[in-house]
Amino acid sequence: MATVDTSVSPPARVADPGEGISLDELRLAARNHGMPLEALRYDVTPVGLHYLLIHYDIPYLDPGGWRLRIDGHVRQPLTLDLAELQARPQVTQRVTMECAGNGRARLDPRPISQPWLDEAVGTAEWTGTPLAPLLREAGIRDGGADVAFTGADHGVERGVEQDYTRGLPLAEALREDVLLVHTMNGQPLPPQHGAPVRLLVPGWYGMAQVKWLVRVSVLDTPFQGFQNATAYRIKQGPDDVGEPVTRIRPRALMRPPGFPDFQTRERVVDRGVHELIGRAWSGRGAVTRVEVSADGGATWSAAELDPQPGRYAWRSWRWTWHAQEPGRHELCVRARDAAGDVQPVEQPWNRQGMANNQVQRVPVLVR
Ligand SMILES: Nc1nc2c(c(=O)[nH]1)N[C@H]1C(S)=C(S)[C@@H](COP(=O)(O)O)O[C@H]1N2
Ligand SMILES: [Mo]
């Protein structure tokens, strides 16, 4: 891959002590919006309220001219157009997707990147055709290791010019629930979510869900591209190799109660009884418990859970808050999953702010 002058494309860094959000971070935040937390009320997030993360520009792909190439370490490379993909068996799955950088802007020191607070999440009904039968038709040769998925979008990141490409272990790519999707909530995939076709890998953080997909290539060596080897890793120091970011860690969010102040978005509620509602999810095992604290995390009690609507879809929860004492309070919520993982109260800091699932804190004024 070509490299570009680092005065155009700076290296990764963390903010200096007290350094505020820059125009660069604001520009990223304005392009890549979160899901407004009041949208936690919907089982399936309306398309325009689903979060968005786009590394470069949204490419324009004419659906009539779009082709998907399946090649690499296979016996018979394939090329498909959209009609052929849609003529294959179709599956619809409700899946919660979350950006691996969710929560990053709350870390101290703050990794400079897309400055998410808590809202980089959404749940959609995705329709498409399973990838595994297509890979079997292409005939994976012995020694297949990873599958590389390439989007039509092009840019430069920390000096490395690239088409957005992610590698996935072959065993994950062959899961029956991994889909090539063309439909979101019953509508054709919109441009910002990857039209005409994206990859769906239920349970994995967003970076694996490659949009504007044009090439699927089986590799006989581990994928070493930028988005796997450099970007999506959990590391402490700038030169650490780190651990790859894979499946979504458990997280719960609440719909903030009452009404907000315009500028600070601090909540105001009347003294009395309030039903708190929200959602919880994990890509590592079903959500087994959600706990709420009305005193900033000093004491916790269990929320009531609805049934899990599909293995990789968020689960709804509710908890009754007796807001007796006028004044300022802090509400918190945390989830636990079947793998025994529970959200940390203290920040799980890492240098790129990846897979950070510290508990949500919602300041509320009771009047
Ligand atoms: N081709 C391509 N695919 C991509 C991205 C991208 O920039 N280019 N961003 C990834 C990241 S980091 C996330 S979190 C999800 C976001 O998907 P959404 O915008 O549909 O919510 O898309 C992933 N797929
Ligand atoms: Mo992301």
Side-chain angles (χ1 to χ4, degrees):
M1 282 282 169
T3 58
V4 170
D5 185 342
T6 52
S7 64
V8 174
S9 188
R13 69 177 186 95
V14 297
D16 293 331
E19 179 184 341
I21 296 273
S22 65
L23 279 182
D24 285 354
E25 289 166 288
L26 175 60
R27 190 182 301 107
L28 280 170
R31 290 181 56 83
N32 298 308
H33 66 73
M35 181 191 73
L37 291 184
E38 58 272 32
L40 286 165
R41 127 99 38 239
Y42 301 97
D43 294 333
V44 173
T45 312
V47 170
L49 296 179
H50 194 282
Y51 87 98
L52 268 188
L53 195 292
I54 297 151
H55 281 233
Y56 314 129
D57 289 350
I58 299 171
Y60 177 79
L61 294 178
D62 168 25
W66 177 85
R67 298 287 182 276
L68 178 68
R69 177 90 181 144
I70 300 180
D71 64 7
H73 198 63
V74 297
R75 279 187 288 277
Q76 182 60 54
L78 304 175
T79 303
L80 275 114
D81 64 21
L82 190 56
E84 288 165 333
L85 190 135
Q86 289 175 336
R88 299 182 63 89
Q90 301 294 304
V91 178
T92 297
Q93 287 176 170
R94 186 184 300 183
V95 173
T96 296
M97 200 182 281
E98 182 180 16
C99 180
N102 202 10
R104 176 185 289 130
R106 296 194 186 282
L107 296 184
D108 184 19
R110 182 179 80 256
I112 303 283
S113 183
Q114 164 70 25
W116 292 122
L117 294 167
D118 310 298
E119 300 103 328
V121 66
T123 296
E125 300 262 7
W126 305 97
T127 304
T129 195
L131 171 66
L134 279 164
L135 289 174
R136 286 194 289 265
E137 272 176 49
I140 298 165
R141 286 159 50 199
D142 286 351
D146 279 353
V147 183
F149 296 88
T150 303
D153 49 331
H154 188 85
V156 57
E157 210 163 327
R158 299 183 228 161
V160 181
E161 190 177 337
Q162 56 193 288
D163 295 334
Y164 184 90
T165 305
R166 277 282 306 181
L168 190 67
L170 183 58
E172 290 290 314
L174 287 172
R175 277 167 47 192
E176 291 302 320
D177 56 359
V178 169
L179 305 181
L180 304 176
V181 303
H182 50 76
T183 294
M184 182 180 185
N185 297 358
Q187 300 292 321
L189 210 56
Q192 67 273 28
H193 289 293
V197 173
R198 80 180 303 172
L199 180 67
L200 183 72
V201 187
W204 281 56
Y205 278 113
M207 75 284 153
Q209 328 287 334
V210 177
K211 304 194 271 193
W212 313 293
L213 188 66
V214 290
R215 184 166 177 208
V216 175
S217 211
V218 178
L219 308 180
D220 59 359
T221 53
F223 177 73
Q224 291 297 344
F226 180 90
Q227 301 298 341
N228 287 66
T230 306
Y232 288 93
R233 302 193 79 86
I234 297 172
K235 50 186 172 188
Q236 299 298 315
D239 303 320
D240 293 359
V241 175
E243 289 295 314
V245 177
T246 60
R247 285 177 178 253
I248 300 175
R249 287 184 172 155
R251 190 195 287 272
L253 287 176
M254 79 177 75
R255 179 187 60 169
F259 60 86
D261 173 72
F262 168 70
Q263 191 194 313
T264 64
R265 298 206 53 82
E266 183 159 343
R267 316 302 301 185
V268 180
V269 304
D270 288 327
R271 212 176 130 197
V273 177
H274 297 274
E275 187 178 59
L276 304 182
I277 64 146
R279 311 274 170 174
W281 61 92
S282 167
R284 297 168 180 244
V287 169
T288 51
R289 190 175 167 86
V290 170
E291 293 173 323
V292 177
S293 169
D295 53 15
T299 59
W300 296 85
S301 65
E304 209 181 297
L305 285 170
D306 282 351
Q308 177 115 22
R311 169 62 191 84
Y312 295 108
W314 59 22
R315 196 167 176 184
S316 119
W317 60 263
R318 72 203 74 254
W319 190 81
T320 305
W321 181 31
H322 296 272
Q324 314 283 25
E325 279 294 312
R328 287 203 147 84
H329 298 263
E330 188 178 59
L331 302 173
C332 307
V333 60
R334 68 181 180 196
R336 176 186 296 274
D337 68 18
D341 208 355
V342 65
Q343 284 185 252
V345 173
E346 299 300 326
Q347 64 166 353
W349 192 89
N350 63 83
R351 203 182 150 81
Q352 304 191 106
M354 297 296 180
N356 153 54
N357 63 339
Q358 70 179 311
V359 300
Q360 180 194 20
R361 294 176 179 275
V362 181
V364 181
L365 177 69
V366 177
R367 66 169 182 190

